[in-house]
Amino acid sequence: MAIIHNVEIVWDELMDAFTSGLSDRVYFLDRYTGEIFFVPATADDDEVWRQMETGRDRFLEIPRFDYGVERQFMSAFIGAIQDKGLSSMLNNSLGGRKPYGNINDILSFFPEEEERLMAMKDDFFASRVKNWLEENNLFTVDSEARLSSRM
């Protein structure tokens, strides 16, 4: 039987850790305190890694950012753009072909599309984080409300 700990997790910190593209850090969530922290991936201190391993019921490793998933997400976003010229520029940028530039730079000239992308990204990553929390028997306030309404 799993023990449930009622802890407060700072959502913005969890989202930052979940979406961090920094490969030199391994992020963890302390199930007992709700604290989000990282250990340098290159840490030579075997004791730190031993503590993380033996404390698996307490310390939950936060998955690394998945660039492949982001690329698929961006492809879907670009595919839904009605303006064929903008869609072509963004596709070229996603494919790494210059002189079109960075996707964020291009979208800065198209504020409606930029806002739509930000909203879609927020929803997408929030959904992934909520699913990850639920897979690890951690629930958000929204999840708890849905569970209690089913009973």
Side-chain angles (χ1 to χ4, degrees):
M1 183 167 110
I3 297 174
I4 297 175
H5 299 279
N6 188 14
V7 297
E8 185 174 325
I9 300 170
V10 178
W11 182 257
D12 289 340
E13 289 180 14
L14 182 58
M15 285 292 287
D16 288 346
F18 209 88
T19 59
S20 172
L22 301 174
S23 62
D24 63 339
R25 297 178 177 183
V26 180
Y27 286 91
F28 291 91
L29 167 66
D30 184 329
R31 291 180 194 243
Y32 296 175
T33 66
E35 177 186 8
I36 311 283
F37 63 95
F38 72 89
V39 175
T42 57
D44 290 335
D45 187 355
D46 289 338
E47 182 58 29
V48 169
W49 296 113
R50 203 172 5 264
Q51 285 178 3
M52 295 298 112
E53 181 62 29
T54 58
R56 275 188 284 153
D57 62 325
R58 178 175 181 168
F59 302 113
L60 182 60
E61 185 175 342
I62 297 171
R64 292 183 184 261
F65 184 76
D66 187 341
Y67 287 102
V69 170
E70 184 185 40
R71 190 171 194 75
Q72 289 173 331
F73 173 83
M74 290 303 295
S75 291
F77 168 76
I78 293 168
I81 292 176
Q82 299 296 317
D83 180 331
K84 295 303 175 195
L86 175 58
S87 178
S88 176
M89 272 194 292
L90 294 174
N91 263 324
N92 286 332
S93 181
L94 188 62
R97 291 171 282 217
K98 302 293 179 191
Y100 295 105
N102 177 303
I103 288 177
N104 293 326
D105 292 341
I106 295 168
L107 287 176
S108 70
F109 293 99
F110 300 87
E112 293 91 20
E113 293 295 340
E114 183 178 38
E115 189 173 310
R116 189 170 70 82
L117 174 61
M118 290 300 128
M120 286 176 64
K121 267 187 172 181
D122 287 347
D123 290 346
F124 175 76
F125 285 115
S127 175
R128 290 192 72 207
V129 170
K130 285 180 181 180
N131 288 338
W132 176 78
L133 287 169
E134 290 176 8
E135 287 169 5
N136 289 285
N137 295 320
L138 299 165
F139 299 95
T140 64
V141 173
D142 292 349
S143 300
E144 291 172 3
R146 279 197 314 263
L147 287 174
S148 64
S149 70
R150 291 184 200 162
M151 294 181 182

Short mmCIF file of all heavy atoms in Angstrom, two decimals, residues 2 15 48-49 56-57 76 105 108 140 146-147:
data_model
loop_
_atom_site.label_atom_id
_atom_site.label_comp_id
_atom_site.label_asym_id
_atom_site.label_seq_id
_atom_site.Cartn_x
_atom_site.Cartn_y
_atom_site.Cartn_z
N ALA A 2 0.61 2.15 -0.88
CA ALA A 2 1.40 3.38 -1.00
C ALA A 2 0.95 4.40 0.04
O ALA A 2 -0.23 4.53 0.34
CB ALA A 2 1.25 3.97 -2.39
N MET A 15 7.32 23.06 -13.63
CA MET A 15 7.28 23.28 -15.08
C MET A 15 8.67 23.67 -15.60
O MET A 15 9.10 23.19 -16.65
CB MET A 15 6.27 24.37 -15.43
CG MET A 15 4.82 23.92 -15.36
SD MET A 15 4.38 22.71 -16.61
CE MET A 15 4.34 23.75 -18.06
N VAL A 48 25.95 11.18 -3.20
CA VAL A 48 24.73 11.86 -3.64
C VAL A 48 23.89 10.91 -4.48
O VAL A 48 22.68 10.77 -4.25
CB VAL A 48 25.07 13.14 -4.45
CG1 VAL A 48 23.84 13.71 -5.13
CG2 VAL A 48 25.73 14.17 -3.57
N TRP A 49 24.50 10.24 -5.44
CA TRP A 49 23.75 9.33 -6.31
C TRP A 49 23.24 8.12 -5.54
O TRP A 49 22.15 7.61 -5.82
CB TRP A 49 24.61 8.92 -7.50
CG TRP A 49 24.95 10.09 -8.36
CD1 TRP A 49 26.18 10.63 -8.56
CD2 TRP A 49 24.04 10.91 -9.11
NE1 TRP A 49 26.10 11.72 -9.38
CE2 TRP A 49 24.79 11.92 -9.74
CE3 TRP A 49 22.66 10.89 -9.30
CZ2 TRP A 49 24.21 12.88 -10.56
CZ3 TRP A 49 22.08 11.85 -10.11
CH2 TRP A 49 22.85 12.84 -10.72
N ARG A 56 14.55 6.25 -3.54
CA ARG A 56 13.65 6.31 -4.69
C ARG A 56 12.20 6.53 -4.30
O ARG A 56 11.44 7.10 -5.06
CB ARG A 56 13.75 5.05 -5.54
CG ARG A 56 14.87 5.12 -6.54
CD ARG A 56 14.85 3.98 -7.48
NE ARG A 56 15.36 2.81 -6.77
CZ ARG A 56 15.07 1.57 -7.04
NH1 ARG A 56 14.27 1.29 -8.02
NH2 ARG A 56 15.58 0.58 -6.35
N ASP A 57 11.81 6.05 -3.11
CA ASP A 57 10.43 6.29 -2.68
C ASP A 57 10.22 7.75 -2.29
O ASP A 57 9.10 8.24 -2.27
CB ASP A 57 10.05 5.37 -1.53
CG ASP A 57 10.90 5.59 -0.30
OD1 ASP A 57 12.10 5.89 -0.46
OD2 ASP A 57 10.38 5.46 0.82
N ALA A 76 3.32 20.10 -35.78
CA ALA A 76 1.85 20.15 -35.76
C ALA A 76 1.35 21.59 -35.72
O ALA A 76 0.40 21.96 -36.42
CB ALA A 76 1.31 19.37 -34.57
N ASP A 105 11.99 34.30 -33.28
CA ASP A 105 12.23 35.60 -33.93
C ASP A 105 11.19 35.85 -35.03
O ASP A 105 10.66 36.95 -35.16
CB ASP A 105 13.63 35.66 -34.53
CG ASP A 105 14.72 35.68 -33.47
OD1 ASP A 105 14.42 35.99 -32.30
OD2 ASP A 105 15.88 35.35 -33.82
N SER A 108 7.77 36.69 -33.64
CA SER A 108 7.67 37.99 -32.99
C SER A 108 7.03 39.02 -33.92
O SER A 108 6.48 40.03 -33.45
CB SER A 108 9.03 38.48 -32.50
OG SER A 108 9.87 38.81 -33.59
N THR A 140 -2.60 16.66 -8.68
CA THR A 140 -2.83 18.10 -8.57
C THR A 140 -4.21 18.31 -7.95
O THR A 140 -5.02 17.39 -7.87
CB THR A 140 -2.78 18.77 -9.95
OG1 THR A 140 -3.84 18.26 -10.75
CG2 THR A 140 -1.45 18.54 -10.64
N ARG A 146 -11.30 15.69 -9.85
CA ARG A 146 -11.84 14.75 -10.83
C ARG A 146 -12.01 13.36 -10.20
O ARG A 146 -13.01 12.70 -10.43
CB ARG A 146 -10.89 14.64 -12.03
CG ARG A 146 -11.04 15.75 -13.04
CD ARG A 146 -10.38 15.38 -14.37
NE ARG A 146 -9.06 14.80 -14.22
CZ ARG A 146 -7.92 15.46 -14.33
NH1 ARG A 146 -7.93 16.73 -14.58
NH2 ARG A 146 -6.77 14.84 -14.20
N LEU A 147 -11.02 12.94 -9.39
CA LEU A 147 -11.12 11.61 -8.76
C LEU A 147 -12.28 11.54 -7.80
O LEU A 147 -13.02 10.57 -7.77
CB LEU A 147 -9.82 11.28 -8.03
CG LEU A 147 -8.63 10.94 -8.91
CD1 LEU A 147 -7.37 10.78 -8.05
CD2 LEU A 147 -8.87 9.67 -9.70
#
